[in-house]
Structure formats: structure tokens, C-alpha cells
Amino acid sequence: MADTIAETVDLLYTIDQEKLTLDQQIALGSALAALAQAERLEQINERLRGIHQVLNSWALRVATAEGR
């Protein structure tokens, strides 16, 4: 997903804003804000995956130590 976000941001930055109407400029700003939010959510998701892996590792160690 991150590649898609980066590619979309690159594409949006190639738009000549001076040729856009006011409504188009507002829409572009909204699109950039939505993409920034999506990128942040992806970063949070990656951190949560890492935390999940650590917790699974700990649970496996506890289960192994208890002879399960």
C-alpha cells in the first residue's frame, strides 16, 4: 500500500495548481490530506504488526516454559 500512496502523492504533486479552478484546488488539498492520513494509518498498522509479533513470541515462550 505504501508504494501506491507514494506514487499517488508523486502524481498529485505533478499537477500544475495554477491551472486549477478554486474548486479543483480545494479537491486537490483534500486529496493530499487524505493521502497523508492513509500514510499515517499504514505506519500505525506496521507498528501494530510488530507489537503483535512480539506478543506472539512471548506467548509462545510462556507456553513452552509451562510445557504446553
Side-chain angles (χ1 to χ4, degrees), residues 43-58:
Q43 291 170 352
I44 291 168
N45 192 34
E46 287 178 24
R47 287 188 179 208
L48 288 174
R49 274 190 228 122
I51 291 168
H52 177 72
Q53 289 176 343
V54 169
L55 292 175
N56 277 338
S57 172
W58 289 351

Side-chain angles (χ1 to χ4, degrees), residues 3-65:
D3 289 340
T4 304
I5 293 170
E7 291 169 2
T8 305
V9 169
D10 288 344
L11 180 62
L12 288 173
Y13 279 118
T14 63
I15 295 172
D16 185 359
Q17 294 183 27
E18 292 180 12
K19 294 182 179 179
L20 299 179
T21 65
L22 183 57
D23 287 342
Q24 290 171 328
Q25 290 176 0
I26 292 169
L28 178 60
S30 294
L32 290 170
L35 284 168
Q37 183 179 18
E39 187 173 38
R40 181 68 181 134
L41 290 173
E42 180 61 22
Q43 291 170 352
I44 291 168
N45 192 34
E46 287 178 24
R47 287 188 179 208
L48 288 174
R49 274 190 228 122
I51 291 168
H52 177 72
Q53 289 176 343
V54 169
L55 292 175
N56 277 338
S57 172
W58 289 351
L60 181 61
R61 287 182 192 168
V62 168
T64 303

